[in-house]
Amino acid sequence: MTSLEQRIRQTLAEMADDTPVSAAPSLDPLRTLQSRVDEPVRHNGRIMTLAVSVLLLAAGLVAIVVVRSRDESGPADPIRGLEIEPDVVTPGEWVTMTADTVWRWEAFLDRVDGGQRERIWMLYPASETFLTPQPPVDLREQPNPALQVSRAIDPLSTFQIPAGVEPGQYQICRYAITAGHELCADLTVRPANG
Amino acid sequence: MEDRSVGRAVTGDVARPPTFDAFFAARYATTVRLARLLSGSTASAEDLAQDAFVRVQVHFDEVRDPVSYLRATTVNVCRSWHRSREREQDRFRRHGVSDVASPAVVIDEVGASMMRLPFRQRAVLVLRYWADLSEAEIADALRCRPGTVKSLHHRALETLRKETQP
């Protein structure tokens, strides 16, 4: 083994040892989700998988063309499927969301105006500034302990709508691991004194 | 170094974990570390590892070697994350935000160079020098031919040699 290879081995070992690992989380939320899957669906899964694969292949080709054509005008419409409570808030209020899925920890606030979508805020990890239109952007990979947001494999979490958000129509969006795409919910932000 | 003592069912030298719970508990920390080395992100490593376990859990009773399956799944999950992160960076750049990703925490110059390698080259180094896998096992994890692994390994070492040696 060359000296470079030894350095690679040593560096990787140090980086791995340096990785913080919390206790393995509970698997209960995952089981709760899976128990909702009907048994017949599981048994017929292989045939369904083949059929769905063919359909997805065709749909994928169409989607590639559509996504490419939309790429210049903005992100494609996400899929609704997230439940939030309440769905009408004033800036600074808290929103609790649930979904039958397992999601990543990021959550975004998108402004929806006249068919246009603009991603303006990362709700979690907490961001001090708007994503757009101006930098600087602070997307530190630091969980905000005040939010107590659950990590993946947890279907429930709560976010505070930032105080600087202007009244209007918004969507909260999260990437759902088990769905493979973003799920969104409509949100109306009213003036604080309205 | 990766803990390879659990669940090598394919060779039969160690018993397969009887339940997914036991497998999850035994492999969780190792998988988080693998995800961190592949992604370069400490913050996302646990999410990526959990993502991999969610996928493995569905097929746990069917696969002969859950450890290899988990490893390949973790590589896949990290590769997808890497791609989506690149697309996200492109979107942010279009909005005039230059760099919103938190920099990877690296140990030294070699670590920094490894984080700049293309995903598959980095994965080969991680699986070869941290997980101590053979060429065939790496090929299995990356879903490619052993010859491709050899080529990726060679190119990765060449790049690191140029970047780290005067």
Side-chain angles (χ1 to χ4, degrees):
Chain A
M1 185 177 290
T2 65
S3 63
L4 176 61
E5 288 174 302
Q6 282 171 347
R7 286 176 66 192
I8 293 170
R9 188 180 288 276
Q10 185 182 346
T11 298
L12 288 170
E14 287 176 15
M15 286 174 70
D17 291 343
D18 191 44
T19 303
V21 182
S22 54
S26 166
L27 291 171
D28 291 343
L30 183 61
R31 291 210 176 82
T32 304
L33 293 169
Q34 286 171 343
S35 66
R36 297 174 189 172
V37 178
D38 294 330
E39 281 303 312
V41 174
R42 291 187 186 207
H43 288 307
N44 294 328
R46 290 183 192 282
I47 296 170
M48 287 297 292
T49 300
L50 183 63
V52 170
S53 297
V54 173
L55 286 173
L56 285 178
L57 184 63
L61 291 172
V62 174
I64 287 170
V65 174
V66 171
V67 167
R68 287 191 173 213
S69 65
R70 285 188 177 194
D71 201 35
E72 295 304 315
S73 58
D77 279 345
I79 297 169
R80 287 174 176 76
L82 203 62
E83 290 183 19
I84 61 171
E85 177 64 33
D87 57 6
V88 179
V89 297
T90 55
E93 275 194 86
W94 292 76
V95 173
T96 298
M97 60 183 79
T98 54
D100 289 349
T101 186
V102 175
W103 50 34
R104 285 210 199 293
W105 63 337
E106 295 100 336
F108 295 94
L109 188 64
D110 294 356
R111 178 146 202 176
V112 185
D113 184 17
Q116 297 294 311
R117 166 181 304 281
E118 185 182 19
R119 179 144 292 179
I120 61 161
W121 208 298
M122 182 178 248
L123 291 171
Y124 185 81
S127 172
E128 298 297 324
T129 56
F130 283 106
L131 288 180
T132 59
Q134 294 297 326
V137 173
D138 180 7
L139 294 186
R140 292 166 296 185
E141 293 186 52
Q142 296 291 333
N144 181 340
L147 297 182
Q148 291 294 315
V149 175
S150 51
R151 303 294 298 273
I153 313 189
D154 192 339
L156 178 71
S157 53
T158 304
F159 299 94
Q160 188 174 28
I161 301 305
V165 169
E166 291 179 10
Q169 291 299 314
Y170 292 85
Q171 286 189 338
I172 289 179
C173 299
R174 300 190 74 174
Y175 180 81
I177 294 168
T178 42
H181 49 242
E182 278 192 349
L183 296 178
C184 297
D186 294 321
L187 176 78
T188 302
V189 177
R190 288 185 170 167
N193 55 359
Chain B
M1 191 171 293
E2 184 185 13
D3 174 11
R4 304 180 70 194
S5 63
V6 180
R8 287 181 61 81
V10 70
T11 55
D13 52 353
V14 176
R16 174 197 171 99
T19 63
F20 180 75
D21 288 47
F23 177 70
F24 180 65
R27 301 301 305 182
Y28 184 69
T30 301
T31 305
V32 171
R33 293 190 177 101
L34 175 61
R36 189 268 169 109
L37 295 177
L38 291 173
S39 69
S41 169
T42 306
S44 297
E46 287 196 271
D47 286 352
L48 293 168
Q50 291 175 14
D51 194 350
F53 276 108
V54 167
R55 294 174 191 209
V56 169
Q57 200 258 357
V58 177
H59 303 288
F60 184 72
D61 294 331
E62 302 159 22
V63 296
R64 285 184 61 217
D65 182 358
V67 173
S68 297
Y69 190 76
L70 173 64
R71 192 186 294 127
T73 304
T74 306
V75 170
N76 240 344
V77 165
C78 290
R79 179 159 38 193
S80 298
W81 178 86
H82 197 256
R83 282 179 186 150
S84 66
R85 190 48 57 120
E86 283 179 345
R87 283 197 297 271
E88 190 177 82
Q89 295 297 306
D90 285 344
R91 282 205 299 272
F92 285 139
R93 273 190 286 271
R94 280 206 298 274
H95 284 288
V97 181
S98 57
D99 184 9
V100 295
S102 299
V105 179
V106 294
I107 299 292
D108 56 15
E109 186 187 13
V110 172
S113 293
M114 270 192 284
M115 289 302 123
R116 287 194 295 269
L117 288 174
F119 179 82
R120 293 211 304 171
Q121 290 184 29
R122 187 197 313 166
V124 166
L125 295 186
V126 170
L127 295 173
R128 170 76 184 85
Y129 296 107
W130 181 71
D132 268 336
L133 300 188
S134 67
E135 252 172 30
E137 288 172 314
I138 296 171
D140 185 45
L142 291 177
R143 311 266 158 82
C144 66
R145 290 178 296 117
T148 306
V149 172
K150 195 173 284 187
S151 165
L152 291 168
H153 181 231
H154 176 75
R155 276 185 278 159
L157 287 185
E158 274 303 301
T159 304
L160 291 194
R161 198 167 283 126
K162 282 177 190 163
E163 289 194 5
T164 60
Q165 291 179 358

